[in-house]
Amino acid sequence: MKTVALELEDGIAWVAMSRPDKKNAISVEMAREMAELMDRLETDERCQVLVLTGAGESFSAGMDLKDYFRATDSATAVERARVYRLNASWQWRGLLHYPKPTIAMVNGWCFGGAFTPLAACDLAVAADEAVFGLSEINWGIIPAGVVCKAISTVMTQRDAMYYIMTGETFDGKRAAEMRLVNESVPRAQLHSRVGNLARVLMGKNPTVLRQAKTAFRYSSRMGWDEAADYLFAKSDQSTFMDPERGREEGMRQFLDEKSYKPGLGSYRRDKGGKR
Ligand code: ACO
């Protein structure tokens, strides 16, 4: 891979957009490599949590203006649709429905199109020093691709409109204040904080984590009645599909063994069957 870097470390797949000399701007080649890598990691046991970040000083400076704008201006409508579909396959369709937990680790510059994978990850942690911007207005376009939609899921209308319309930058602390990211920490602590968060997720039952992510994403778009019915069915499916029998094990350890408090932490997974 030329534009994506992978480091596998104790269950964590650190996946970096990697064109540091171009501030990790997302090229067609990067989209292709990222889609392929995510597809491979989906069934790779060495990846239990996927962390999306950027090589060097940038998360990503957004879509590569040469590849995704200048080059596609002269492409046919079919070619244009193909490169945009390729990008969607990882940036949001892939990430939104990824079967493993995903964390965006925003280490530096984060502009325009980079907000899409940021919003599509389950969790996000930024460096205080990271610089974010919906810069589209500054060069005469709207936040398209699917940026407007993506940010509407993680920003309030007032905040989104403000940054869409002014194109002003903001830092990691402000991103955390707005809840665009879960938290922001000094850059020197970013890697260890994200590693710790990933390890918390790895301590949970992976089948139930996957079902919980899907349950939240779909039910948030439904009315109450549909959501209640869907969630009952989803809950039964989760129990049925869980090789650990986590639900029974959790109840046994709490009600019979009295060895833990579900309100305060997870059940012991080593006794629950297959880890
Ligand atoms: N597309 C293509 N090339 C890019 C992009 C991009 N989005 N961002 C940076 N680059 C390239 C630069 O053209 C430059 O290439 P060169 O060395 O061949 O001249 C190289 O990356 C380094 O960039 P500099 O601008 O020299 O770096 P600097 O540290 O001065 O500035 C900054 C960094 C602020 C991120 C600046 O590069 C920038 O404003 N980039 C564009 C950000 C942006 O608006 N992204 C698009 C959002 S819209 C969308 O994604 C749909």
Side-chain angles (χ1 to χ4, degrees), residues 20-210:
D21 55 324
K22 299 289 180 194
K23 310 295 172 193
N24 305 328
I26 298 159
S27 59
V28 172
E29 185 178 31
M30 185 189 290
R32 187 169 297 115
E33 291 189 343
M34 194 61 89
E36 279 171 20
L37 178 64
M38 282 177 48
D39 186 51
R40 270 199 283 133
L41 290 175
E42 206 172 301
T43 52
D44 189 329
E45 296 269 318
R46 292 170 302 172
C47 167
Q48 291 169 44
V49 174
L50 186 150
V51 176
L52 178 69
T53 189
E57 63 179 1
S58 315
F59 180 68
S60 167
M63 303 313 292
D64 186 301
L65 269 58
K66 274 190 196 156
D67 263 28
Y68 270 93
F69 292 88
R70 191 164 279 169
T72 55
D73 285 349
S74 53
T76 65
V78 171
E79 284 163 351
R80 193 162 178 252
R82 276 171 67 83
V83 294
Y84 276 86
R85 197 170 61 238
L86 175 66
N87 197 48
S89 74
W90 78 272
Q91 269 201 351
W92 54 280
R93 286 199 185 98
L95 280 170
L96 281 176
H97 303 293
Y98 209 61
K100 298 178 180 179
T102 56
I103 306 173
M105 180 170 90
V106 185
N107 50 314
W109 300 121
C110 177
F111 286 102
F115 276 66
T116 300
L118 164 62
C121 281
D122 302 324
L123 304 174
V125 183
D128 292 345
E129 300 88 339
V131 177
F132 297 74
L134 289 163
S135 54
E136 286 89 340
I137 195 77
N138 295 338
W139 63 282
I141 65 163
I142 67 164
V146 75
V147 173
C148 276
K149 174 66 188 169
I151 61 175
S152 75
T153 65
V154 285
M155 291 175 87
T156 67
Q157 178 173 315
R158 288 275 180 248
D159 291 328
M161 285 294 203
Y162 183 88
Y163 289 106
I164 286 171
M165 295 172 77
T166 64
E168 275 176 26
T169 59
F170 53 93
D171 64 12
K173 286 184 183 169
R174 176 79 187 115
E177 211 174 84
M178 291 188 287
R179 313 304 299 144
L180 170 60
V181 298
N182 294 91
E183 61 185 270
S184 142
V185 297
R187 186 179 275 138
Q189 294 163 25
L190 184 62
H191 192 276
S192 75
R193 173 62 190 127
V194 172
N196 287 340
L197 180 56
R199 280 182 281 280
V200 169
L201 300 175
M202 284 192 282
K204 308 292 178 194
N205 179 321
T207 308
V208 182
L209 261 187
R210 185 164 62 246

Side-chain angles (χ1 to χ4, degrees), residues 92-98 120 146 149 152-153 213-228 230-231:
W92 54 280
R93 286 199 185 98
L95 280 170
L96 281 176
H97 303 293
Y98 209 61
V146 75
K149 174 66 188 169
S152 75
T153 65
K213 283 175 50 162
T214 309
F216 178 79
R217 290 213 188 273
Y218 284 121
S219 64
S220 62
R221 296 187 221 150
M222 295 175 188
W224 284 62
D225 289 306
E226 295 84 350
Y230 161 78
L231 289 169

